[in-house]
């Protein structure tokens, strides 16, 4: 449970979700990788990599949309979070930018539901607590804009991620 009924936590694999858009934790080349990116590319099929290649590159802090191909989701929104370099290299602003760009693209495409992984917190090494605080704060700001999705799911891959989101969503 969260204090905002539009925000939900889901524990498991983001590729299983029936939502209008799932967000990929992408790299600037929009190339298939490991982590959630690998799972999304496997589930969507090879057409996804071809569509990504046509849209690449995407700067860190930005996002691009492709169809979902074999996924249940209509769109994949590829959001590029920062590589953690200690926090003094603009990482918070870039992470915020990735969430904001994904929410705006979802709004532009008429998505009513969107699911996010914890961008940058795996291979890119961003510490979970500050990353989930930025995710929650940015999504809350974007939900206040006209045309924003009505439902946002934070997909938590493992108990540590879920605990960090619960903390970030708690009122105190
Ligand atoms: N569903 C939901 N979340 C997942 C899944 C999944 N199937 N698989 C992994 N995750 C979680 C990780 O546990 C982590 O919390 O997604 C979060 C982001 O981790 P990464 O996938 O490693 O993404 P990131 O840290 O942003 O690194 C991006 O990794 O795969 C490459 O191409 C990608 O180069 C880019 C880099």
């Amino acid at each position: 449970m969260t204090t905002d009924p539009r925000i939900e936590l889901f524990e498991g694999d983001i590729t299983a979700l029936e939502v209008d858009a799932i967000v990929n934790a992408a790299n600037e080349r929009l190339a298939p990788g490991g982590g959630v990116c690998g799972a999304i590319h496997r589930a969507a099929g090879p057409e996804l990599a071809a569509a990504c290649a046509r849209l690449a590159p995407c700067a860190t802090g930005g996002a691009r949309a492709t169809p979902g191909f074999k996924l249940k989701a209509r769109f994949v929104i590829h959001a590029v979070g920062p590589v953690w370099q200690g926090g003094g290299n603009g990482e918070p602003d870039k992470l915020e930018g990735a969430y904001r760009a994904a929410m705006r693209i979802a709004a532009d495409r008429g998505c009513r539901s969107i699911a996010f992984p914890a961008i940058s917190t795996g291979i890119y090494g961003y510490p979970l607590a500050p990353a989930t605080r930025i995710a929650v704060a940015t999504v809350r700001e974007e939900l206040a804009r006209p045309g924003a999705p009505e439902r946002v799911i934070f997909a938590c891959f493992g108990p540590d991620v879920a605990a960090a989101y619960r903390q970030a969503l708690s009122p105190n």
Side-chain angles (χ1 to χ4, degrees):
M1 283 297 287
T2 71
T3 48
D4 186 333
R6 297 172 298 180
I7 299 178
E8 298 166 37
L9 299 186
F10 164 78
E11 292 191 46
D13 181 357
I14 198 169
T15 63
L17 290 172
E18 292 189 42
V19 285
D20 292 327
I22 65 172
V23 175
N24 181 21
N27 53 67
E28 290 190 341
R29 292 177 298 119
L30 303 183
V36 71
C37 182
I40 289 172
H41 276 271
R42 278 193 298 279
E47 284 172 294
L48 183 62
C52 284
R54 288 192 289 275
L55 292 175
C58 176
T60 298
R64 299 272 190 277
T66 64
F69 299 104
K70 287 196 218 154
L71 289 164
K72 289 173 187 148
R74 269 196 299 142
F75 299 106
V76 178
I77 300 177
H78 306 265
V80 184
V83 177
W84 179 256
Q85 293 175 289
N89 204 28
E91 292 95 323
D93 286 350
K94 290 171 188 165
L95 188 61
E96 178 182 326
Y99 278 95
R100 203 176 293 291
M103 287 292 285
R104 301 249 171 128
I105 289 174
D108 288 347
R109 303 289 177 116
C111 295
R112 293 190 303 174
S113 54
I114 180 170
F116 285 93
I119 298 169
S120 283
T121 66
I123 292 163
Y124 280 0
Y126 207 119
L128 261 177
T132 50
R133 280 197 297 271
I134 288 169
V136 167
T138 309
V139 159
R140 279 184 173 146
E141 281 175 22
E142 291 299 311
L143 280 171
R145 291 171 62 89
E150 293 155 10
R151 188 173 165 226
V152 177
I153 298 166
F154 290 118
C156 306
F157 205 62
D160 293 358
V161 181
Y165 273 110
R166 281 199 192 93
Q167 182 68 39
L169 286 160
S170 71
N172 302 306

